[in-house]
Amino acid sequence: MRKRPETSRSSNSQQRPPKQPPYANSTTNLSSSMKSIRSGSVWIILSAVIIYSCYSVHYYQFENLPSPLTAEQAGKRGFSEIQAIKHVKALTDFGPHPVGSESLDLALQYVLAEVENIKKNAYYEVDVEVDFFHAKTGANRLTSGLFRGKTLVYADLKHVVLRILPKFTPNQAADNTILVSSHIDTVFSTGGAGDCSSCVAVMLELARGISQWAHGFKNGVIFLFNTGEEEGLSGAHSFITQHPWSKTIRLAVDLEAMGVGGKSGIFQAGPHPWAIENFASAAKYPSGNIIAQDLFSSGVIKSATDFQVYKEVAGLSGLDFAFTDNGAVYHTKNDKLDLLKSGSLQHLGENMLAFLLRIASSPHLPKSKDMDKELKTGHDSAIFFDILGTYMIVYSQRFASMLHNSVILQSLLIWAASLFMGGSSATISLGLSCLSAILMLLFSISFSAFAAFIVPQISPSPVPYVANPLLVLGLFAAPALLGALTGQHLGYLILKKYLLIVYSKKKQLSSVVIADLVKLEAERWLYKAGFVQWLVLLIIGNYYKIGSSYLAVFWLVPPAFAYGLLEATLTPARLPKPLKLATLLMGLAVPILISSGTFIRFAGTIIGMAVRFDRNPGGTPEWLWNIVISTFIAVCICLTFIYVLSYVHLSGAKRSIILATSILFGLSLILVLSGFIQPFTEDTARAVNVVHVVDASGRYGEKQDPLSYISLFSNTPGKLEKEVEQIKEGFTCGKDKVVDFVAFSVNYGCWTHDDTESGWSESDIPTLHVDSDTKGEERITQVSIDTKFSTRWSLAINTKEIEDFILKGNSEELIPYGNKTSVDGWHHIQFSGGNDSPRKFELTLFWSVKSMPSADNVDRTIQDQRPLLKLRTDVDRLTPKAERVLAKLPTWCSLFGKSTSPLTLAFLSSLPVNF
């Protein structure tokens, strides 16, 4: 047999290709993949799409209002905004109508006449009862929120109460009623078109419609038009504690306003979920979000509504609605009808009408005791949020916990499997990607906070964006975005450096290919860092049962699902490819739909709050509120842009983003510094107060020689030189003169003593007189208080000296012994009432044992610097000097009122410890 030539074998051996590594085929298309990486123009288009989507979501969720209906279009049983607007106009025409004013009496008579007309024209099978309720003297001792350390005393309050029942089954309906409540009174600085004439108008139109439907009701409906809300929720408290109908109430609905118009959304619900579940089913344009409730209950939003009384004092569940558009005009002269958006009242009215018709006809209206029992045995609070203002999702906290636990568990299992397969390099890469997210947050907050700090130093106003909120995009959002990109890119470089070491061990790949692979792998880890970020927030929110945690689910699950569907692989040998834009678009569609409108709305709300931020004028740095806003914006950008920015590092868009944000920031600064854009306008004014102060404090037992001056101060951050320059009444500004208004202090303000001796007399000055002082085992001091002409006053009691006290008025005990709280060593009493309120009071003080004099005659110099009692009385009277100052007040300024604000004439008095 002939041998086969060896040359032939050698030839065949040379023709057979060598064995390739499993990922070798992937490298052939790598160069083309890298070349097709997203260009700068693609990012411009993508950014435009995202911005337009966010704007559209915000518009449809908060700006898209229904068309107003006329009386003819609505019919007898419908709701007409055109009719409701007539009520708003009539009430605002009375001007400011605070408690104790003649204008409030006129407003009460108007509402009374309207409800009498509703009674007259009600359906013949409907029974309508009207009660003009005169509340007795009482005390509101809420202990949470703004009312910690306070007792709110009221007298001579009048309310209009309307009860609608079916005529043929009145007993059952009368024993089970639904309360709808709002307040007629305003603060002294505004006519209150938004807060809350719009609410009263909606209630009047609702009552008219309900009076045509109620013949089929199984439950009655009570409409409470109260007074005293602006002075500390006194109206609601007096009704709940004194009116006989209050014992029949099973559910409470409060209508409020923290701005003028727009969509009235639910910002408090519960504690039982029955009301919000039925509202979500019945409402035509449901609007509301658990985030607002979380912020409100946490104290971030410094405010309170009558709903707190209904929930804490009466133990009721229900809903709390509020108008929130134009929050900067809250309690200022610009709370006016002109700014009330068309469709605002129609939106609330149609929602409320559908809701009331549903629950008033329900045989399952839960009783308050049943609600408490169900809450203890398993029925818990509700998570709720609306989608584009057309549909509301509601589910229980128990279901939320189950859902969150499921998402958390699955996420942890997926991550554990992924890290197990990837080994130590995957674990380290995950840690470095999380570091990039941390750096992103730190740099973003730092950049925006730096901008927030320098703006007050170079700008005419520390808050130049109040009248033009879009300025914050350039002043704070642009630096925040630039900082986020910088921080993430730094993390990207660190991650890339580590991955280069890992890939360098793969000898089969060229250095060029390795460099490209490292970039692609780093990009994917940055994207996945977003999953970890939202997973951590979900775990924290779930642990503390924070309702707003639903946001973390929507920002975690859809992006993770899109990544798993389009990008993920279970083959470790497969080399990474560029992330697809489809992954980003699919992953962000749902989160943008669910949350972008809400983020924009809350940013606007925070900006509006700048007008009234400084509760003790001059007591906080001018830049502080800018830091709050800039930090909020930076956090929102980092949380929501983490997925988007992970795509940028391999694109040609980095320079474009840096250039665009720098230009936007620069242009915004130029607009502010040039004065082209003013911080305040006639329609969005700065909040100021002008008070003629007569200070007789520290003069107990001496001949009266009070100081008289005009005090000008502002709750809006910033100096007052520009305003004083225009007024020209001899003002001096600075922090040299601290004015203690008992409920708060003015640390920076302006004052003038010129021509301030007229318009008041010494007989107006309140007196604190010690009637007796018994020193034994227990020291007891009797003090008589005469507020003279004032029916609105604040008294602070030094709780470092006084353990307890009793207050009487006209021999009637108003505040009993026991259960007192304090803040910073003071317990505050705020009194407000009508013209028939008492002016003379008896205060019994029970001294603390440690404050009683000892045989050692301890030096009490330091303690004596704090008075035993501080009293401020307010009189609604304009002195000649104050009138001149107000007449010259710039148009961009407005008086600002709240329950603790002094009126235009205030008297100060005190009682020292060693009297």
Side-chain angles (χ1 to χ4, degrees), residues 17-39:
K19 187 175 181 181
Q20 301 282 341
Y23 46 75
N25 292 333
S26 301
T27 63
T28 58
N29 296 323
L30 186 60
S31 298
S32 60
S33 296
M34 292 299 294
K35 290 178 182 178
S36 64
I37 288 289
R38 302 160 291 275
S39 66

Side-chain angles (χ1 to χ4, degrees), residues 107 186 224 229 246 280 295-296 407 431 445 447 489 522 587 612 631 664 712 731 811 832:
T186 71
L224 170 62
E229 192 273 349
S246 66
L295 290 174
F296 201 83
V407 171
I445 292 176
F447 279 36
H489 190 70
R612 53 189 183 277
T631 302
L664 184 58
L712 171 66
F731 278 99
S811 300
S832 64

Side-chain angles (χ1 to χ4, degrees), residues 438-460:
I438 295 172
L439 291 173
M440 182 182 181
L441 183 63
L442 291 177
F443 273 74
S444 182
I445 292 176
S446 299
F447 279 36
S448 60
F450 177 73
F453 179 77
I454 66 170
V455 164
Q457 317 304 324
I458 62 178
S459 168

